[in-house]
Amino acid sequence: MKKIEAIIREEKLDAVKKALEENSYFGMTVSEVSGRGKQMGIPLQWRAGEYRVDLLPKLKIELVVLDEDVSVAIDAIIRNARTGETGDGKIFILPVESVVRVRTGDRDEGAI
Amino acid sequence: MPVSPGDTAWLLLSSALVMLMTPGLALFYGGMVRRKNILSTLMMSFVALGLVGVLWVLYGYSLSFGTDSAGLIGGFNFLGLMGVGQEPSTVYATTVPHLAFMIFQAMFAIITVALITGAVVERIKFSSLLVFSALWLTVVYCPVAHWVWGDGGWLLNLGALDFAGGTVVHINAGVSALALVLLLGRRRGFPGQAMEPSNIPLVVLGAGLLWFGWFGFNAGSALTAGGLASSAFVATNISAAMAAFTWMVISWLHRRPTVLGTVTGAVVGLVAITPAAGFVEPLAAIPIGGIAAIISYYGMLLLKMKLGMDDSLDVFACHGLGGIWGALATGIFATVAVNAGGADGLLLGNGMQLLKQLVGVVSVGGFAFVATWLLGKLVDVTIGLRVGETEEAVGLDISQHGERAYGGLLR
């Protein structure tokens, strides 16, 4: 089992969610995060003049999938989150030791 | 003179309108600071209602409007509202109860003290701010109010015009703010670190309340309910509208039409028309408001972005510069056709009036700067003006007040 952590643009959530859904990946956790990469921030305006904000709002999607499903899920995310500009985000893939479903106590593959 | 029910109703209502400006100012300022300092910023304004509301009736009104000494300060004859009752004063607002005039003036003193705090948010120690505010009311506000509005005050006798407080309130607060900033220094991290406004919707709400309350401030300063109040009311609205729109356009030429800039423009327009409202034709408010926005915008760019002065919420650029322009504009656009108690200005061939206005600007500005610097220094060397490094980093909400604006893990 692998955990996929995808940092994406806020406005891409709906498209990414839909694509994952079409591939039968329903479960996910989404959180609002701030971060930076090569994009290095944007200027915002004060009453007069500007200031630079270098941590930008992004969304983090977390989902756990079977090893053999990783590439399909990643592909769905990339296709729908990409604009080609800097700031499109990153995907991290981590090994998962165990999964437990709280309602039933089911473990691992049966709990995904 | 007998009490006029109409005038009394208008002045009491105006007092309530001006009272609402202080919580409005609290929201206007509060939304512009980082979220760890929002309560502390709201409190700095709101507490003026408590502190000055008491000091004013004990001795502030007397020092401002009591029997004159040498044109400089009022006497002790109104201490504790002695002799200030339901009968009109023989000198001030002679058609309304003396108490009504006194409480109207109280609201001006309160908001003036609150205005200064915008310059020192996010780093001043709350206890020191209270001590400073009490000293400032006594040593700076009361004498200046007497010079300009008190019977026998030297600027009043000179013929310097200030309809609703361009010098007493705005130049006074704006220049004092600048002196305090020089003593206090910048917020840690300024200017490199982004200091984002935590809640611009609150700023919009605050600006709306200020605009609303300003009708009491300016039209109420007619002290009668009639043509003059109406003229001041209309001029006030025109100036706010013109300055808001002008600021929006400047901001748009630069990049985008910002909300923060547009509502700031409205407030600057209100500041600039304050001394002029009852002395100029309503349409004179178009140039007065438009030019105010330009002066204040570029003043702010210069002071904050170029010189790196951390007048955190731009009190000098908005109230100091806006007030100075308004005072001078009064000397340019004034006409006795609007107010027989006023004077003609430069445009009607009376250049002398502009000179009188300049005397008002320089004397009030100079006195406010020096006296504030000395008072601030006194507080600094005795109890310290500034919070410690950790307290500033944690934020003043928790370190000064033991509260946070947005509590709770569960929504």
Side-chain angles (χ1 to χ4, degrees):
Chain A
M1 294 172 297
K2 294 281 188 287
K3 181 183 188 190
I4 298 174
E5 284 189 9
I7 314 290
I8 62 165
R9 294 180 185 275
E10 291 180 307
E11 64 270 25
K12 293 296 184 188
L13 176 65
D14 284 341
V16 169
K17 204 167 61 172
K18 194 153 170 278
L20 289 169
E21 225 172 75
E22 280 162 4
N23 288 286
S24 300
Y25 305 117
F26 292 102
M28 64 176 69
T29 303
V30 180
S31 35
E32 295 179 21
V33 294
S34 298
R36 66 176 178 189
K38 292 207 174 88
Q39 193 178 2
M40 289 313 288
I42 52 167
L44 290 180
Q45 287 167 276
W46 179 244
R47 298 155 129 182
E50 294 181 346
Y51 59 94
R52 198 161 189 86
V53 174
D54 63 355
L55 291 176
L56 298 179
K58 298 285 172 187
L59 292 179
K60 180 167 75 168
I61 301 176
E62 295 169 87
L63 65 158
V64 174
V65 298
L66 298 174
D67 289 358
E68 58 265 34
D69 289 345
V70 168
S71 55
V72 177
I74 289 176
D75 193 48
I77 295 170
I78 289 178
R79 262 188 293 110
N80 290 282
R82 175 187 284 164
T83 67
E85 303 293 318
T86 50
D88 276 350
K90 277 207 168 55
I91 300 175
F92 305 101
I93 296 129
L94 298 78
V96 171
E97 190 173 299
S98 194
V99 177
V100 182
R101 189 189 303 280
V102 172
R103 176 169 55 88
T104 57
D106 290 348
R107 297 184 79 90
D108 301 337
E109 277 81 358
I112 288 183
Chain B
M1 209 181 270
V3 166
S4 153
D7 292 351
T8 306
W10 174 232
L11 199 62
L12 287 176
L13 180 62
S14 290
S15 304
L17 285 170
V18 182
M19 178 270 157
L20 192 60
M21 289 172 70
T22 295
L25 181 73
L27 296 170
F28 183 68
Y29 280 171
M32 275 188 277
V33 299
R34 290 168 292 174
R35 75 175 77 172
K36 63 184 177 180
N37 294 316
I38 185 166
L39 288 178
S40 117
T41 301
L42 289 164
M43 179 68 160
M44 287 184 200
S45 288
F46 199 93
V47 76
L49 284 161
L51 178 71
V52 181
V54 174
L55 296 182
W56 186 254
V57 298
L58 293 180
Y59 66 82
Y61 179 70
S62 194
L63 291 184
S64 306
F65 293 93
T67 306
D68 175 70
S69 294
L72 295 177
I73 193 151
F76 296 131
N77 53 313
F78 295 143
L79 276 189
L81 301 187
M82 192 166 43
V84 179
Q86 297 185 17
E87 294 303 310
S89 152
T90 51
V91 190
Y92 306 111
T94 53
T95 61
V96 303
H98 199 170
L99 280 168
F101 177 73
M102 184 283 299
I103 201 66
F104 182 61
Q105 288 297 335
M107 301 310 173
F108 282 66
I110 289 164
I111 195 166
T112 309
V113 169
L115 280 172
I116 299 172
T117 64
V120 296
V121 292
E122 306 199 286
R123 61 204 187 281
I124 199 166
K125 198 186 338 180
F126 184 67
S127 56
S128 305
L129 177 75
L130 289 180
V131 172
F132 169 81
S133 296
L135 291 171
W136 190 86
L137 174 79
T138 313
V139 177
V140 182
Y141 186 85
C142 291
V144 169
H146 184 78
W147 300 355
V148 178
W149 291 330
D151 185 43
W154 74 272
L155 281 171
L156 186 74
N157 286 346
L158 177 76
L161 299 176
D162 183 0
F163 192 71
T167 45
V168 178
V169 175
H170 297 291
I171 297 177
N172 208 0
V175 170
S176 298
L178 196 62
L180 265 192
V181 168
L182 292 178
L183 279 171
L184 196 59
R186 302 163 170 181
R187 290 168 288 180
R188 283 174 206 282
F190 182 90
Q193 185 184 320
M195 300 200 175
E196 280 197 86
S198 61
N199 194 333
I200 293 178
L202 277 190
V203 182
V204 177
L205 176 62
L209 289 172
L210 283 169
W211 191 331
F212 179 70
W214 227 293
F215 292 124
F217 204 93
N218 286 1
S221 289
L223 304 173
T224 55
L228 183 60
S230 307
S231 183
F233 196 114
V234 174
T236 299
N237 201 64
I238 292 174
S239 185
M242 188 65 198
F245 202 82
T246 304
W247 199 296
M248 183 198 77
V249 170
I250 302 173
S251 154
W252 206 336
L253 291 174
H254 183 64
R255 239 166 66 92
R256 295 273 204 280
T258 64
V259 177
L260 183 59
T262 306
V263 301
T264 299
V267 172
V268 167
L270 292 161
V271 168
I273 198 63
T274 294
F279 295 122
V280 301
E281 295 284 359
L283 278 189
I286 288 181
I288 290 175
I291 293 170
I294 296 168
I295 292 174
S296 187
Y297 183 97
Y298 289 101
M300 201 180 283
L301 264 188
L302 176 72
L303 285 168
K304 197 167 216 170
M305 304 295 168
K306 300 266 169 13
L307 301 178
M309 281 199 55
D310 191 12
D311 174 356
S312 308
L313 307 181
D314 313 297
V315 181
F316 180 73
C318 294
H319 299 273
L321 294 179
I324 291 169
W325 160 243
L328 298 178
T330 306
I332 297 171
F333 294 100
T335 165
V336 290
V338 167
N339 186 342
D344 282 336
L346 182 67
L347 291 185
L348 290 171
N350 180 18
M352 207 47 207
Q353 189 57 40
L354 184 57
L355 202 62
K356 290 175 182 173
Q357 297 302 110
L358 189 63
V359 172
V361 168
V362 172
S363 57
V364 170
F367 173 71
F369 187 87
V370 173
T372 301
W373 196 89
L374 291 172
L375 291 177
K377 193 77 190 166
L378 177 69
V379 175
D380 199 26
V381 299
T382 50
I383 57 175
L385 270 177
R386 197 171 173 131
V387 297
E389 191 172 348
T390 310
E391 292 170 300
E392 186 175 341
V394 168
L396 272 55
D397 289 4
I398 286 179
S399 74
Q400 302 296 295
H401 304 288
E403 296 171 286
R404 54 184 183 182
Y406 310 102
L409 182 62
L410 299 175
R411 283 187 256 228

